[in-house]
Amino acid sequence: MKSDLPKLLLDIKDGVIDLGWGHPSARLHPLQKIKQSTLSMLSYDHAESLQYGASQGYGPFIETLARFLSQQKGYSKNKVFSNQLFITSGASQAIDFICTLLTVAGDSVLVENPTYFVVEGMLNTHKLNVIGVNCNENGLDLDDLEHKLKSGLKPKFLYTIPTFHNPTGTTMPSQNRQRLVSLANKYNFHIVADEVYQFIYFNEPPPTSLLDYDTQGKVISLGSFSKILAPGLRLGWIYSNPQLIKTFTDSPLAFSGGGLNHFTSTIVNELIGMNLLESHIHELQHEYLRRATVMDNSLKQYFDNSIEYIFPKGGYYFWIKFIEKLNTSNFLDKAEELGVSFRPGNFFTHTSDYDNFLRLTYTLYEPYDLVEGVKRLSKVFSK
Ligand SMILES: Cc1ncc(COP(=O)(O)O)c(C=O)c1O
């Protein structure tokens, strides 16, 4: 039966090339791999996948995931153990879950300024007092953070995107990771490290997960299959110290529902066991670098010297600064009239610091659309 209700989150007007959505390419969705692993899993005929699962997540999947993560040079220098993993239904759910379990209304929490724009709404839902910390070319500005902490701020946690930041694309260097963890130890707060882009690197792996730098059980790392397999699976993991994993496992939500995404876990367990994940990640890395290069060339061709940006080393985004003082959000309507869209800089902050920035995504569209989109965008900003 036909329905008028939306099918997808993506909502793009006809004829518009929307370079704003941070979604993966539909063409690259691993339909055949999911089909193959689902059929294989269902062929076991023991219906385990249809029962309530274990609170921490499906045991065989946790073991498989621990092995897989241990083998990835871009993830951790240390062996990942199964008592350090908790299965979630994605990083978004994990953030909300952490707020539920580790905070009470009125607590202060820190976020990067700018940050992933949906996070602030989630934190507000929990009535938390959200405070921004400045960013620079190395991600979080640790001097600003230290200054705030020295002034008496007592955050429950800091939410950070240390690798291929959304929206700025920056990656926190190793020495900064060490200093951040020292500050968390000294001032006693957790670090929620949203590492959903950790595997989407182009030439070289980024510094490993922030958990590698943890010395006193402060780091809670969030992983997700949304960027490396498919967001529709709603599957992710928390990688942290065994005590916190136990806190998550003992939660009434995980117990009542029998894990947070049991059925899908049994499929992805099979998919990893069939060796289908690593090759898929390589395909994404290769294709997204190709698309980022196409976007880079078009930006150079159509914008000349009017903008500045750093070519991304991974992730999904170009964070573009207009040299001229202008407010990019004032150009959205005109952009849509000319058949293109983007995310204005002030979507990602409460301050006016990024009014003359915008975020473009290169993952959703094929190269020829990226070229056309950037060409249209240049017309929007031409005098
Ligand atoms: C930084 C960041 N965290 C989380 C998410 C959403 O992750 P998930 O699909 O695992 O909930 C996104 C999606 O764009 C993101 O950019």
Side-chain angles (χ1 to χ4, degrees):
M1 199 172 75
K2 198 175 172 307
S3 164
D4 289 334
L5 295 173
K7 288 182 177 170
L8 299 175
L9 192 60
L10 266 183
D11 177 18
I12 300 176
K13 289 192 189 126
D14 278 351
V16 172
I17 297 173
D18 193 337
L19 303 174
W21 289 97
H23 287 202
S25 160
R27 185 173 64 76
L28 299 177
H29 283 326
L31 206 55
Q32 290 311 319
K33 290 174 177 131
I34 297 287
K35 213 185 247 180
Q36 212 180 326
S37 40
T38 305
L39 287 175
S40 173
M41 185 277 288
L42 289 173
S43 72
Y44 298 140
D45 265 348
H46 49 43
E48 214 170 57
S49 60
L50 300 179
Q51 187 53 281
Y52 278 110
S55 304
Q56 187 187 346
Y58 181 54
F61 176 54
I62 293 175
E63 305 278 1
T64 301
L65 182 61
R67 239 185 342 268
F68 178 81
L69 295 174
S70 299
Q71 287 160 357
Q72 306 306 308
K73 57 183 173 181
Y75 191 71
S76 175
K77 292 196 185 84
N78 302 313
K79 188 170 185 310
V80 176
F81 292 98
S82 49
N83 64 355
Q84 295 175 298
L85 295 174
F86 174 84
I87 304 306
T88 67
S89 46
S92 313
Q93 185 268 326
I95 296 163
D96 196 67
F97 190 57
I98 288 163
C99 291
T100 301
L101 293 179
L102 302 186
T103 68
V104 293
D107 280 346
S108 292
V109 291
L110 300 171
V111 298
E112 283 143 347
N113 174 30
T115 189
Y116 174 43
F117 65 97
V118 198
V119 159
E120 196 150 350
M122 288 198 248
L123 302 175
N124 286 336
T125 309
H126 290 268
K127 301 192 167 33
L128 299 172
N129 175 29
V130 184
I131 296 155
V133 180
N134 294 339
C135 287
N136 57 31
E137 68 284 1
N138 290 324
L140 197 69
D141 177 346
L142 294 173
D143 291 337
D144 186 43
L145 173 64
E146 188 162 14
H147 173 74
K148 287 188 162 72
L149 295 166
K150 275 186 178 158
S151 311
L153 193 63
K154 292 194 173 13
K156 248 323 173 11
F157 66 73
L158 162 82
Y159 168 83
T160 175
I161 309 163
T163 304
F164 310 135
H165 186 271
N166 177 2
T168 65
T170 53
T171 294
M172 193 185 290
S174 287
Q175 62 273 26
N176 290 31
R177 292 175 187 238
Q178 265 163 9
R179 185 174 160 206
L180 173 59
V181 167
S182 305
L183 289 171
N185 290 343
K186 183 168 173 192
Y187 291 95
N188 195 27
F189 59 90
H190 282 114
I191 303 169
V192 178
D194 186 336
E195 301 187 317
V196 298
Y197 297 104
Q198 187 71 24
F199 291 104
I200 306 294
Y201 59 84
F202 296 150
N203 295 312
E204 282 182 14
T208 52
S209 166
L210 209 68
L211 199 81
D212 270 5
Y213 301 79
D214 195 14
T215 50
Q216 295 180 17
K218 293 287 189 269
V219 177
I220 306 170
S221 159
L222 312 182
S224 176
F225 285 91
S226 291
K227 310 295 176 189
I228 56 174
L229 208 51
L233 297 169
R234 305 312 310 134
L235 188 67
W237 66 93
I238 293 176
Y239 174 39
S240 191
N241 65 77
Q243 289 84 347
L244 272 174
I245 295 299
K246 186 168 177 337
T247 303
F248 302 138
T249 303
D250 289 346
S251 73
L253 174 67
F255 183 78
S256 176
L260 300 181
N261 196 349
H262 175 67
F263 181 74
T264 308
S265 301
T266 64
I267 295 170
V268 176
N269 180 46
E270 198 69 13
L271 187 144
I272 299 176
M274 293 168 90
N275 240 339
L276 298 176
L277 181 57
E278 209 165 334
S279 58
H280 186 67
I281 295 176
H282 288 152
E283 198 182 325
L284 294 178
Q285 291 168 335
H286 178 80
E287 179 62 19
Y288 290 156
L289 172 58
R290 188 169 85 94
R291 294 181 187 202
T293 306
V294 166
M295 186 171 262
D296 180 40
N297 289 337
S298 301
L299 288 166
K300 287 194 176 109
Q301 180 182 349
Y302 293 110
F303 279 89
D304 261 346
N305 297 322
S306 58
I307 55 172
E308 283 177 353
Y309 58 87
I310 293 170
F311 185 83
K313 295 195 168 108
Y316 269 35
Y317 310 106
F318 275 89
W319 183 234
I320 291 176
K321 177 184 177 183
F322 283 83
I323 311 275
E324 194 186 332
K325 264 280 168 224
L326 51 80
N327 188 337
T328 55
S329 58
N330 294 338
F331 291 78
L332 257 187
D333 288 345
K334 184 176 170 194
E336 297 211 340
E337 272 167 34
L338 294 178
V340 65
S341 198
F342 59 89
R343 288 281 182 274
N346 59 21
F347 250 60
F348 305 92
T349 176
H350 278 313
T351 65
S352 55
D353 299 350
Y354 296 99
D355 280 355
N356 59 327
F357 281 74
L358 58 81
R359 189 195 77 178
L360 300 182
T361 313
Y362 42 80
T363 50
L364 180 62
Y365 286 95
E366 297 295 322
Y368 51 86
D369 281 328
L370 295 175
V371 174
E372 179 60 26
V374 171
K375 187 174 162 191
R376 291 181 193 176
L377 199 65
S378 69
K379 290 199 182 117
V380 175
F381 287 96
S382 67
K383 283 268 161 61

